[in-house]
Amino acid sequence: CETCSKEAAKYRCPRCMKYSCSLLCVKKHKLALSCNGVRDKTAFVSVNEFTDLNLLSDYRFLEDVGRTADAAARHCIVHSPATKRLLYCLRNKARGCNIELKTLPVGFTKRRENSTTFNSMENKFYWHLKLIFPHCHAEYTLKGVPDDKTLADILKPYIDPVESDPVVCQRLKIYTASPQSDVRILMKIENRSRNSVRYNELDASRSLLDNLKGKVIIEYPTLFVVLKTLKNDMVVLGQ
């Protein structure tokens, strides 16, 4: 058992492949590693390790995707002229700002939860934004974030030791205790293969709109907040 190192292992986690001897150790390993115990069907598998079981799993996964996409295509909202007009306008305005905004079918979670809007009177985007803090296994969703707001101001309620909410500050203690110069803001580069994931490093002093220019966004931006001093597996483009 990789948790207690005392008993013979009986179970293996489908997610992280850790060995456990009992239900108690299974729960402990899930808590320690923030593991949900569900096998990642899209995890990269090298050709040398690819088996018939992987092939069968991929086939079933593609069948599930096909059913989901077909159900989404039949949804009445998809064929609504108002919905299509709104999405077309949103993508067109983003293109005018040198942002390639891509939208998903209605059946997908990101499409359902996206609340991004464009205010024609102010000529401004109000973004749906997700912040992920990997070192604390925490994530927060923001709605209606104006595109002229700097990333530093967006992060203040979370990692600023003075302005952040006490509950959030306690949860993100490792960030609030670190100097601001150690904080890095990354955004995943879309349209890359799973075994070649790269990130763009954003400038906290610039506005959200300036940081999004020249990038591909699927539904809404997702920002990863990491610390230079702590090891992470996120490779920045060019490194």
Side-chain angles (χ1 to χ4, degrees):
C1 177
E2 295 184 52
T3 302
C4 67
S5 302
K6 295 178 181 179
E7 303 292 336
K10 299 178 183 178
Y11 314 105
R12 192 175 190 184
C13 178
R15 182 79 177 188
C16 61
M17 310 306 286
K18 295 285 185 182
Y19 286 101
S20 302
C21 65
S22 63
L23 180 60
L24 181 62
C25 284
V26 169
K27 290 181 177 179
K28 283 183 179 179
H29 113 265
K30 285 183 178 180
L31 188 63
L33 301 177
S34 296
C35 175
N36 59 11
V38 179
R39 185 176 62 85
D40 185 4
K41 296 179 182 179
T42 62
F44 176 75
V45 179
S46 65
V47 176
N48 296 333
E49 298 174 351
F50 200 83
T51 64
D52 290 342
L53 288 176
N54 296 119
L55 178 63
L56 183 60
S57 174
D58 286 353
Y59 181 77
R60 288 175 176 170
F61 175 69
L62 291 174
E63 282 187 324
D64 290 340
V65 171
R67 282 193 293 270
T68 304
D70 183 62
R74 296 170 184 268
H75 201 286
C76 58
I77 299 179
V78 175
H79 305 289
S80 168
T83 301
K84 291 182 179 180
R85 198 182 311 117
L86 181 64
L87 292 178
Y88 175 79
C89 177
L90 208 59
R91 289 193 296 261
N92 195 37
K93 293 295 183 181
R95 196 178 301 113
C97 297
N98 192 26
I99 300 172
E100 187 177 349
L101 178 63
K102 295 185 175 182
T103 55
L104 299 170
V106 172
F108 287 79
T109 304
K110 291 188 76 172
R111 173 87 289 271
R112 290 198 306 269
E113 64 187 13
N114 189 7
S115 61
T116 300
T117 58
F118 183 82
N119 191 313
S120 300
M121 298 290 291
E122 301 178 10
N123 195 31
K124 184 190 297 184
F125 275 97
Y126 285 87
W127 289 98
H128 183 106
L129 190 65
K130 182 172 284 188
L131 299 177
I132 298 179
F133 299 85
H135 304 309
C136 295
H137 305 289
E139 64 177 56
Y140 299 92
T141 299
L142 289 71
K143 295 183 179 181
V145 181
D147 61 13
D148 56 354
K149 195 171 185 178
T150 64
L151 298 186
D153 288 338
I154 293 173
L155 291 179
K156 270 186 180 180
Y158 299 92
I159 62 174
D160 190 280
V162 178
E163 297 188 25
S164 61
D165 179 88
V167 177
V168 175
C169 182
Q170 183 62 30
R171 187 178 184 187
L172 303 179
K173 192 174 182 180
I174 191 172
Y175 289 91
T176 54
S178 301
Q180 296 297 309
S181 57
D182 285 349
V183 177
R184 303 170 72 196
I185 307 171
L186 309 179
M187 190 169 80
K188 183 181 176 182
I189 302 175
E190 303 294 348
N191 299 334
R192 292 182 69 94
S193 59
R194 287 189 61 84
N195 59 339
S196 180
V197 178
R198 295 292 182 273
Y199 294 82
N200 278 317
E201 184 168 2
L202 308 183
D203 188 346
S205 63
R206 300 179 68 185
S207 69
L208 178 60
L209 181 63
D210 289 338
N211 277 289
L212 296 181
K213 287 182 178 178
K215 298 179 177 64
V216 178
I217 300 172
I218 298 179
E219 289 295 347
Y220 54 80
T222 299
L223 308 183
F224 295 84
V225 186
V226 299
L227 297 173
K228 293 180 182 178
T229 52
L230 295 180
K231 182 182 177 183
N232 63 80
D233 55 358
M234 297 178 181
V235 182
V236 176
L237 188 68
Q239 291 184 345

